[in-house]
Amino acid sequence: MTLVVVPVRFPPSSHSAATLREAARIAEERGADLTILHVDLYQRSGGVSRSDLKRAVEERIGRVDRARYVVRRGFLVEETILEEIVAEGADVVVIGSKQAGRWRRMVQKLLSDPDIDSFLRGELDCTVITVDADGETTGEEADGGDEGHVPLPNDGDD
């Protein structure tokens, strides 16, 4: 079964809503299950539950078929998201452009002069689709070549 994972903030912002709508569309188009993921940071512990997440998502975008709501606790949002994506064996990851910028900064702290696209392709054996605040997408097969290469947005696009 195909799996789409979409990390979101809580409560979902308007940008998160655009990302959620696109992830739900992609999951429906592919006949896939959808995991809606929120990372509750230990240092800010909002005590968000799965039912809180589900309620907030449904208030923002309506009911989502074949969705699983997951709340993970962690110290670093990006690291926790990567762990969940790998553990779930996601086929498609849909992230907001702001999240892509955060991943870029995290990787820059870990590696010298990293290429975020190559890093994500190396870490994730899946398609990564980035959604901007207007719901426009860019995507790339994680294991694909440069054919149809669309880079993740620059940090300035946050």
Side-chain angles (χ1 to χ4, degrees):
M1 174 60 65
T2 302
L3 177 64
V4 176
V5 174
V6 57
V8 296
R9 67 177 53 238
F10 182 87
S13 64
S14 58
H15 192 164
S16 292
T19 305
L20 280 162
R21 280 191 289 275
E22 183 61 15
R25 185 195 66 75
I26 290 166
E28 185 175 323
E29 180 180 276
R30 296 178 185 222
D33 290 331
L34 177 64
T35 295
I36 299 170
L37 171 66
H38 170 69
V39 177
D40 194 16
L41 295 173
Y42 282 118
Q43 59 271 36
R44 290 192 211 150
S45 185
V48 177
S49 70
R50 287 183 304 176
S51 60
D52 293 336
L53 179 60
K54 180 179 182 188
R55 186 173 28 261
V57 166
E58 289 181 350
E59 285 174 4
R60 196 71 145 125
I61 68 165
R63 188 174 186 286
V64 182
D65 291 328
R66 297 174 65 174
R68 175 176 166 250
Y69 295 84
V70 175
V71 176
R72 294 284 181 250
R73 296 194 72 201
F75 286 106
L76 297 172
V77 172
E78 297 78 13
E79 182 179 301
T80 306
I81 291 169
L82 274 175
E83 288 171 356
E84 184 68 20
I85 290 167
V86 171
E88 292 270 336
D91 300 292
V92 179
V93 178
V94 181
I95 59 172
S97 57
K98 288 184 179 182
Q99 187 65 48
R102 285 186 203 104
W103 275 8
R104 180 177 285 105
R105 286 189 294 277
M106 176 194 75
V107 173
Q108 286 172 337
K109 288 178 185 175
L110 299 174
L111 308 171
S112 61
D113 194 29
D115 175 351
I116 190 69
D117 299 322
S118 295
F119 174 79
L120 289 175
R121 276 193 303 267
E123 292 296 314
L124 307 174
D125 185 21
C126 63
T127 301
V128 177
I129 298 172
T130 305
V131 180
D132 68 18
D134 296 323
E136 298 295 317
T137 62
T138 61
E140 154 133 20
E141 287 292 328
D143 56 354
D146 287 335
E147 255 179 64
H149 175 78
V150 181
L152 290 173
N154 295 328
D155 281 343
D157 291 342
D158 283 347

